[in-house]
Amino acid sequence: MRIEYPHRHERFGAVRIHDTTQVIELDSGLDGEEDEATVQGRMVSLVPPAAVNAIERRMVIVVPTKNERRKVIEGVLSGIPHDCLIVMVSASEREPIDRYEIETGLLERFCHSAERQAIAVHQDDPGLADALTHCGMGSMVDGDLVRRGKGEAMIIGMLLAAAAGKEHVGFIDADNYVPGAVHEYVKVFAAGLHLASTPYAMVRISWQSKPKIEDGRLVFNRWGRTTHVTNRFLNLLLSSYNGFGTEVIRTGNAGEHALTLELAKRLRFAGGFAVEPYEFIDLFEQFGGAQPSPHPEVARSLVDVFQVETRNPHFHEDKGDDHVSGMRLESVSSLLASPICPESVESEIRQFLASEEIDLAAIPRPVVYPPWETAELDAFRDHVRKTDTFRAIARRRASGVVVEQPL
Ligand code: GDP
Ligand code: CO
């Protein structure tokens, strides 16, 4: 892959947020050697296939799924590069039709045809809740069950990735209509993580466009409204510390992103849809230098956040903007609660909410979970393996011989 290397970034303590750059060439060929050159004023990095592949072998792709269509999920699976381990965390309905059975069935068939391995588990499985309680992540459990939400599904995926001995984790939504886009996202994850100069790195995808059909025509919109709001306040926070206006953050709501497990395990993740923007808030709180860091080893090093604009359009299930905006406002409300949110930003947020006639009290604060670095992975693995909905699909040759077990 040939990818533009950012030459500008904004810094908040140890966190470097790089300018958004572009994919130049999806496939840079077999002959290209690792290289960096300035071409027409742009820094161009060539990441050879072997380097991309070396990261993919150590990466888990978590696919959170909730009632998505079978054909769409199949397309998504087909786009995930072969060497990545797939982890599906489902919250789909099991009554009157057991959608989870359908999902695991298609996952098994896919793995069988492609000779690859995968893990699946259902979020509403009481045994999973039990496994979380036993490993020290009991705060994710409410009653006998794991709390609902995408953030929760992502944490489960990360624990499975760590238990499987991997080093990186990427997230791909199950409702993407374009397998080629999925493929590109994962290649970008791998190229970005390869280029990072620190073990604490994150790559976030910025969509080139989000096409919609309006009046029978295909319209390529650049920004969703929620994205605009989230980015604006995150940038304002950054400006208030650096003293210069900035628009560097363009991926506040990026569902498609990847990070090293070294970084992931130290972060506090939020529940539900607040999860992606909250990652920025937590990076700033923990490593921004405005308050003492619970992880001085990271604060002394660097955290690299890359933002990459991909070539494929982002075509996903349209679930309506309103529901999404409501959910995403959770992260705006958590900014208000953050100890690092200065008064100037707070008053801007309040003004915005008033102008939109949104009652702050009506926005739920997201639940925020402690970092999973202290979770006992062995206990988690032992418990989760025994639970009803857990599936570990082994890599088998066409002859049926098992080559590799995922967990
Ligand atoms: P959007 O694309 O950001 O508007 O959000 P979606 O509603 O498409 O959700 C993103 C992905 O997360 C999709 O693949 C959903 O099926 C999945 N998802 C949403 N909520 C949950 C949940 O509570 N649990 C799980 N496991 N997956 C979820
Ligand atoms: Co979606």
Side-chain angles (χ1 to χ4, degrees):
M1 170 166 272
R2 220 179 283 256
I3 194 166
E4 186 188 1
Y5 191 88
H7 61 269
R8 286 196 319 188
H9 62 256
E10 292 285 343
R11 191 132 181 189
F12 194 164
V15 187
R16 287 202 303 192
I17 300 166
H18 295 273
D19 256 357
T20 303
T21 56
Q22 285 186 320
V23 169
I24 293 171
E25 187 177 52
L26 289 169
D27 182 343
S28 54
L30 273 179
D31 295 336
E33 283 183 15
E34 174 125 31
D35 186 28
E36 229 170 59
T38 304
V39 185
Q40 295 160 2
R42 297 208 290 186
M43 199 127 95
V44 177
S45 293
L46 191 155
V47 186
V52 169
N53 194 248
I55 301 277
E56 287 170 350
R57 280 172 182 272
R58 291 179 273 138
M59 180 152 63
V60 160
I61 295 296
V62 176
V63 185
T65 313
K66 189 176 171 185
N67 301 329
E68 304 298 350
R69 292 192 236 182
R70 186 172 60 88
K71 292 253 153 118
V72 181
I73 301 175
E74 274 176 354
V76 166
L77 296 178
S78 74
I80 301 173
H82 184 83
D83 288 310
C84 302
L85 172 62
I86 297 171
V87 171
M88 185 187 270
V89 183
S90 173
S92 301
E93 285 164 11
R94 308 203 64 189
E95 302 265 353
I97 295 170
D98 192 347
R99 284 169 171 266
Y100 184 62
E101 260 332 289
I102 299 177
E103 288 161 2
T104 48
L106 70 85
L107 186 62
E108 269 168 26
R109 279 193 301 281
F110 167 72
C111 287
H112 192 73
S113 323
E115 294 187 21
R116 53 194 289 187
Q117 46 180 354
I119 296 173
V121 72
H122 197 281
Q123 207 167 335
D124 291 344
D125 182 338
L128 175 64
D130 200 42
L132 289 169
T133 307
H134 273 91
C135 77
M137 293 298 288
S139 55
M140 290 174 65
V141 178
D142 187 19
D144 309 332
L145 296 180
V146 182
R147 286 177 197 268
R148 287 287 176 101
K150 191 190 175 201
E152 287 78 356
M154 287 169 48
I155 299 173
I156 295 162
M158 289 185 272
L159 288 170
L160 289 167
K166 299 289 175 170
E167 286 171 38
H168 309 285
V169 65
F171 303 96
I172 295 282
D173 289 351
D175 65 340
N176 197 314
Y177 282 104
V178 188
V182 169
H183 191 75
E184 181 182 11
Y185 297 156
V186 180
K187 293 287 166 191
V188 167
F189 293 167
L193 292 175
H194 174 80
L195 290 173
S197 50
T198 149
Y200 315 110
M202 183 186 279
V203 181
R204 301 172 77 93
I205 302 293
S206 166
W207 311 313
Q208 161 87 307
S209 62
K210 206 168 172 177
K212 280 209 173 110
I213 304 208
E214 282 172 19
D215 299 329
R217 290 182 61 202
L218 204 49
V219 183
F220 292 84
N221 291 327
R222 272 186 80 79
W223 298 116
R225 214 177 72 91
T226 332
T227 303
H228 193 79
V229 172
T230 313
N231 291 341
R232 181 175 146 216
F233 290 119
L234 289 172
N235 281 318
L236 217 54
L237 179 71
L238 203 54
S239 314
S240 74
Y241 279 91
N242 286 349
F244 289 92
T246 178
E247 294 199 353
V248 73
I249 298 179
R250 292 184 37 192
T251 57
N253 288 319
E256 269 72 25
H257 63 294
L259 64 171
T260 59
L261 288 184
E262 281 301 318
L263 176 60
K265 70 182 183 189
R266 292 172 167 88
L267 284 184
R268 288 173 297 197
F269 288 88
F273 283 119
V275 60
E276 288 100 5
Y278 193 82
E279 288 168 357
F280 275 115
I281 300 176
D282 197 51
L283 283 176
F284 298 159
E285 280 189 14
Q286 291 207 51
F287 314 120
Q291 48 183 32
S293 176
H295 296 107
E297 69 286 9
V298 182
R300 273 194 302 270
S301 170
L302 267 179
V303 179
D304 263 335
V305 180
F306 291 104
Q307 306 181 95
V308 182
E309 191 174 279
T310 46
R311 293 286 165 182
N312 281 279
H314 190 78
F315 238 132
H316 71 147
E317 190 68 41
D318 192 354
K319 288 162 184 151
D321 275 352
D322 283 354
H323 120 95
V324 175
S325 324
M327 307 294 243
R328 301 281 141 88
L329 282 175
E330 282 180 42
S331 40
V332 173
S333 87
S334 65
L335 245 185
L336 287 179
S338 170
I340 58 162
C341 182
E343 240 169 65
S344 57
V345 177
E346 190 180 319
S347 81
E348 288 267 353
I349 295 177
R350 285 185 194 282
Q351 263 177 37
F352 161 78
L353 293 174
S355 70
E356 296 278 313
E357 296 180 0
I358 299 169
D359 181 7
L360 178 59
I363 309 173
R365 284 267 166 78
V367 190
V368 176
Y369 299 106
W372 54 264
E373 77 174 327
T374 50
E376 288 168 47
L377 292 176
D378 290 337
F380 178 70
R381 187 193 297 112
D382 291 346
H383 279 83
V384 82
R385 264 185 185 153
K386 287 187 217 130
T387 195
D388 281 352
T389 66
F390 179 78
R391 304 277 188 286
I393 304 167
R395 190 195 306 279
R396 288 168 195 276
R397 292 275 172 259
S399 60
V401 176
V402 171
V403 189
E404 202 179 353
Q405 281 284 355
L407 195 75

